[in-house]
Structure formats: structure tokens, C-alpha cells
Amino acid sequence: MFVEYKNEKLSTKPKELKKLIKKVEKEIESLKKLKKKTYQNFMKPYQEVNEEIELFFTPITILQYTQNSKESQKAYSECLPILTEFGTNQSQDLELFTIYKSIYANEQSMLSLGQKKVLEDGIKEFELDGASLPDDKKARVKEINLRLSELSNNFSQNLLDATNNYELIVEDESKLGNMPSSDKELAKEVVDGKEVFKFTLLP
């Protein structure tokens, strides 16, 4: 999948993500209509449909942090608010919150430790993102989440740019101390007609 994303035009990814989210939202609405919801018939399919989005976005993230380019930056930056809004909408959904609590309460004796942990973490996320809050306060939480994702992305991008742009030029070989000769050879470059040793933070 990584190679597939690398060779494709990343400019189409935000539009594809919106389409995928609409599909996932429809599947979630269908799950909500189940009369008797259990971990097996609701939680497992619910996790699986959400994993579709994770599988879609992971290669974009990998490209962003390993082979950063203007194209990957743009795709990542445009997809991030779409994902943040989707995630916040899910974690503020009072109906989903109620379903989680109901399954947790009704199936205590049948749930494995892992399943209990999934439900407990989900319930905590619903509480933290304000599933029980009035609509105006939910909207404010969403605004904060979007702003935080934007700031986090900006910080990460600035850090990536600084890493990519950093270089150390050493003209005096004696300053390299006991560095292996093979590493010195790799670092050799001609800058302004003079042979120097150039080091960067890139692999």
C-alpha cells in the first residue's frame, strides 16, 4: 500500500477520504439500527469500519514523516481536519456513547479483559469529548480539537523542515576526531570549489 500511495498523485486523497468517511458513516448508522446490540454484532463491526479510515490514512502519514514533500504536506494537511472532525463527531455522538455503556453494563460477565478495556477507553473518550454536553459546548470542543490538530501539524512540519534543511560543514578534518574513514568518505563534498565534510540529519 505504501508503494501504491507513493506512486499516485496525493492531491486526490482528501476527496477520497471524504468519500470513504461518508461510506463509513452510513455503515455506522446501519449498525445503530440493530435491535439488540452486543460486543460481537456491534463493537467488532464498528471497529472494523473505523479501521478502513486508519488503513487509508496511514500510508499518507508514513510518506509525510519519511519522504516529506510539498505534495505529501498538502495531502496530509488537508486530510487532517477531515479526520479530526470525523473523530470528534463520533466521540460526541450521544447515541454511540449510550450503546457503549449499555454493552459494558449488560455483558460484564462475558467480556474479556481486552474487550472491557476497549469499552472503558471508548467511554472515557466520549466523556472527554463532551458527548453529554449541550450542542453549543460540543461545537466549542470541536473547534478546540480542530485548532489543536492544526497547531500540532504546523509544529511537526516546522520540525521536519528544520531537520531537512540542517547541515554542518567541517573544513578541518582534524575536528572529526576518531570518526571512521568510511564515514568521512561518505561525508566528503566539494563546496565552492573546496573539499569539505558535510553532515545532515537525514538518513
Side-chain angles (χ1 to χ4, degrees), residues 104-161:
Y104 187 74
N106 295 334
E107 298 194 2
Q108 275 283 347
S109 62
M110 297 177 283
L111 295 171
S112 67
L113 288 176
Q115 290 169 339
K116 285 182 182 179
K117 177 66 172 169
V118 167
L119 289 165
E120 288 167 355
D121 288 350
I123 290 168
K124 186 179 293 184
E125 187 175 349
F126 282 116
E127 291 170 343
L128 291 174
D129 268 347
S132 300
L133 292 174
D135 289 344
D136 60 331
K137 295 192 182 302
K138 283 184 179 181
R140 180 57 183 148
V141 171
K142 186 183 291 187
E143 286 176 9
I144 292 170
N145 285 346
L146 287 167
R147 181 60 176 152
L148 283 174
S149 71
E150 179 186 356
L151 291 172
S152 176
N153 182 45
N154 288 344
F155 175 81
S156 297
Q157 190 55 59
N158 289 337
L159 185 60
L160 277 170
D161 289 342

Side-chain angles (χ1 to χ4, degrees), residues 34-86:
L34 290 169
K35 288 186 178 180
K36 185 178 179 181
K37 300 173 185 68
T38 65
Y39 197 97
Q40 288 300 318
N41 72 9
F42 182 86
M43 285 303 304
K44 287 183 72 66
Y46 178 73
Q47 289 174 301
E48 287 168 2
V49 296
N50 276 287
E51 280 174 8
E52 292 181 46
I53 294 173
E54 184 178 344
L55 289 171
F56 177 92
F57 190 59
T58 296
I60 300 173
T61 304
I62 292 172
L63 283 173
Q64 168 72 351
Y65 288 99
T66 60
Q67 299 194 20
N68 187 257
S69 66
K70 287 183 179 179
E71 194 175 33
S72 70
Q73 288 174 24
K74 189 171 186 296
Y76 185 88
S77 296
E78 289 180 2
C79 284
L80 197 58
I82 299 170
L83 280 172
T84 302
E85 184 171 10
F86 168 75

